[in-house]
Amino acid sequence: MAKDVAALANGIGGVLVLGLAEDQRSLFPTAVTPVELTDGKLWHIRQAVASNLQPTLRIELFTKHDQPGSNQGILVAAVVPILSGVDRTGVSFG
């Protein structure tokens, strides 16, 4: 996940969607494959990004539970791009 976040941050930003299967040829979503949406899992994702990327990036996590009371669904991670001129070296994964 940290590598994908770094790639988006070094470009124009964007979103990562977890919980959708995609066709390998077209790369279009073909089915919902719910992921865990517990507080612990969201914390783990934030920690993985924070501890593996320099400089520290801001990401926003949005969840859509597949039904009320469920701990599974779709996760959208919005990645803010690095401002040009602030850090020309970009984000490094490590």
Side-chain angles (χ1 to χ4, degrees):
M1 176 108 176
K3 286 182 182 182
D4 292 329
V5 168
L8 288 172
N10 282 326
I12 61 169
V15 297
L16 296 170
V17 181
L18 285 71
L20 296 177
E22 62 186 26
D23 177 73
Q24 295 302 311
R25 285 191 165 149
S26 68
L27 301 181
F28 286 109
T30 57
V32 175
T33 55
V35 295
E36 184 181 336
L37 298 177
T38 62
D39 289 340
K41 186 65 166 182
L42 299 179
W43 178 86
H44 178 75
I45 289 169
R46 285 187 181 97
Q47 284 300 109
V49 169
S51 64
N52 286 298
L53 300 179
Q54 293 296 324
T56 302
L57 299 176
R58 188 175 136 242
I59 65 167
E60 297 289 333
L61 300 179
F62 301 94
T63 59
K64 174 63 176 140
H65 295 265
D66 53 2
Q67 58 184 314
S70 171
N71 284 332
Q72 294 192 335
I74 295 173
L75 173 66
V76 176
V79 180
V80 178
I82 293 177
L83 299 174
S84 61
V86 173
D87 180 358
R88 290 286 192 194
T89 60
V91 176
S92 61
F93 176 76

